[in-house]
Amino acid sequence: MPDLLPAVWGLLGGDPEELPRIRVGGPPAVLRSTFPVTAVGAAAVGASLLAATRGVPVAVDTAALAVALRSERHVRLDGRAVGIPFDPLSAFHRTSDGWLRLHANYPWHRAAALRVLGCAEADVPAAIAERGALELEAALHDAGGVGAAVRTEEAWRTAAGPPPPLVERRVLGDAAPRPPGRPRVLDLTRVIAGPIATRTLAVHGADVLRLDPPDRPELPLQAYDTLPGKRSAQLDLATHGPVLEELLAGADVVVTGYRPGALDRFGLAPADLAERFPGLVVVTLSAWGHEGPWAHRRGFDSIVQAACGIADAEGTDGVPGALPAQVLDHATGYLAAAGALLALDAQRRDGETHHVRLALAGTAAWLQSLPRTQPGDVPEIDPAPHLVDVDAPAGRLTLAAPPGTVDGRSLTWPAPAPAYGAARPGWEAR
């Protein structure tokens, strides 16, 4: 397994003298792919562990990592599944000239797809088969839906231009150092990278408050998987501007996971935040990056895989395939957590207003840049030793444990247990 952490740690701004503190153990490959997904996951999680700690040994076990990178597959409520990771329509579909990956997990995206196709759900494959992949991709975007034609990597570079970097760090303005203390994190993210980033910050002691719009509820599976350790509230940003301002004034970190510019009307553009709240650490995540022809398109892990050439590379016999986990989401989430923690440390030490920016397309390009191998037999990991039970208001939750150990002790999910929308939109006393 290649050691990718030194290069990633350097991009994040980490001190190379911290690298000897980490150990990676377990099988060298735990997820079958032509891409080095085990190494990518180990590097991303390892970076988050190093960024969250000082002076103690940390470790990643790849067997536990395999379970954590597919955490959404292991969620159970009182022993029963609470949903499936993908709606049946969220799949590869043949078009008249190739393949299209559709995303229909959320009701509003499913409705947009049905409007574009002009058919009932049962007739979707046949309707897609009559259309061209690129034409349908554009029509879905224009209608508020989500889909991507399956391209080769070369075709993607022609369509989208140079990829965004894996991690971007910049200073938005001057600010005095803030005092130490339990960091407050305002979580304005959804599916899946952003929620994993903030979930990881909660594991390492942050007070995380997630806000969701009342008219766009989160899927139960996603909520149960990504809310451990956070408080969850619903807030209409358009009608509760003063509440949002109060939350931002009390926050140390804000993490957003929407399309670039989508939240600007609420005063959440990074430059605006730096002006009003000097010293706030701003972390932004997107699907495609903040510039380029695709910057303002909707996107999810599976859609990025299809568009950028990963699905083509993972396919067999002319049929596209997928990575064995939503590695773009998970790796980006852990890297974002590491970036946030390092920026927070730099702010408290030297001041300034820091901005960390990541994109799934940047993580995809990193993955595609790494050496590939023909996958051999990869034994299936038994998830049982890496699952934990959590008492929640809705019942007994079974979740993947947070990956990693600190000073020989396994990480655990802190309170509160997932309770979607149950909290008030305010900060706890320090």
Side-chain angles (χ1 to χ4, degrees):
M1 183 174 66
D3 184 4
L4 307 178
L5 182 56
V8 170
W9 187 241
L11 291 174
L12 289 163
D15 183 349
E17 293 186 0
E18 297 291 329
L19 289 168
R21 291 196 291 115
I22 189 166
R23 294 289 181 269
V24 178
V30 291
L31 297 168
R32 191 175 188 273
S33 173
T34 59
F35 297 93
V37 293
T38 303
V40 163
V45 171
S48 71
L49 292 168
L50 287 175
T53 57
R54 297 290 179 272
V56 296
V58 297
V60 178
D61 174 71
T62 58
L65 177 70
V67 178
L69 293 178
R70 298 192 283 190
S71 59
E72 63 276 1
R73 303 187 186 189
H74 301 291
V75 178
R76 298 293 184 271
L77 179 62
D78 294 330
R80 301 184 299 275
V82 293
I84 55 176
F86 289 101
D87 182 271
L89 294 183
S90 297
F92 293 108
H93 299 271
R94 284 191 182 272
T95 65
S96 64
D97 56 0
W99 291 88
L100 178 113
R101 177 79 191 216
L102 185 65
H103 196 282
N105 287 9
Y106 285 100
W108 46 94
H109 293 150
R110 187 185 307 110
L114 295 176
R115 287 197 305 272
V116 168
L117 296 168
C119 67
E121 289 191 24
D123 300 321
V124 164
I128 292 178
E130 297 176 353
R131 309 274 289 267
L134 294 177
E135 176 268 323
L136 190 50
E137 173 188 85
L140 286 167
H141 170 69
D142 292 343
V146 189
V150 175
R151 293 171 171 81
T152 64
E153 185 175 352
E154 293 73 21
W156 171 242
R157 288 286 156 255
T158 299
L166 180 60
V167 180
E168 292 180 88
R169 299 179 294 116
R170 60 182 188 147
V171 172
L172 297 174
D174 294 331
R178 294 190 176 189
R182 185 188 186 195
R184 291 171 169 173
V185 178
L186 187 61
D187 179 359
L188 300 169
T189 70
R190 298 175 78 91
V191 199
I192 293 174
I196 284 175
T198 51
R199 179 180 78 178
T200 303
L201 295 175
V203 164
H204 292 295
D207 175 14
V208 180
L209 175 67
R210 172 166 160 170
L211 298 182
D212 282 282
D215 62 334
R216 293 291 174 96
E218 183 58 280
L219 301 172
L221 175 61
Q222 299 292 351
Y224 288 135
D225 183 41
T226 62
L227 283 181
K230 309 179 191 179
R231 293 176 297 116
S232 165
Q234 298 185 63
L235 189 73
D236 184 345
L237 302 186
T239 59
H240 290 83
V243 176
L244 177 62
E245 288 295 293
E246 184 178 347
L247 291 172
L248 289 166
D252 299 294
V253 180
V254 61
V255 186
T256 66
Y258 291 77
R259 288 175 292 158
L263 300 178
D264 289 3
R265 66 188 186 276
F266 306 119
L268 291 166
D272 292 343
L273 291 172
E275 183 177 348
R276 301 200 314 280
F277 307 105
L280 181 67
V281 171
V282 182
V283 181
T284 55
L285 301 97
S286 64
W288 310 105
H290 69 284
E291 58 185 14
W294 281 59
H296 299 291
R297 290 201 178 200
R298 302 165 195 86
F300 300 95
D301 183 309
S302 60
I303 299 300
V304 176
Q305 287 188 44
C308 76
I310 290 175
D312 176 72
E314 288 284 77
T316 55
D317 300 325
V319 179
L323 295 172
Q326 294 189 76
V327 174
L328 307 184
D329 266 328
H330 285 261
T332 304
Y334 288 110
L335 292 174
L341 289 164
L342 289 170
L344 184 64
D345 182 65
Q347 204 292 320
R348 289 176 168 177
R349 183 181 63 248
D350 301 320
E352 300 182 314
T353 302
H354 297 262
H355 182 203
V356 181
R357 186 160 51 198
L358 305 95
L360 300 185
T363 305
W366 172 45
L367 182 65
Q368 290 172 300
S369 73
L370 301 172
R372 305 176 198 180
T373 59
Q374 288 300 317
D377 291 333
V378 176
E380 189 69 24
I381 298 297
D382 177 12
H386 312 293
L387 302 177
V388 295
D389 288 334
V390 175
D391 286 323
R396 187 78 164 167
L397 280 173
T398 300
L399 304 170
T405 62
V406 174
D407 203 14
R409 294 186 295 273
S410 297
L411 296 175
T412 59
W413 295 121
Y420 180 76
R424 68 175 185 87
W427 296 114
E428 294 184 333
R430 292 197 194 260

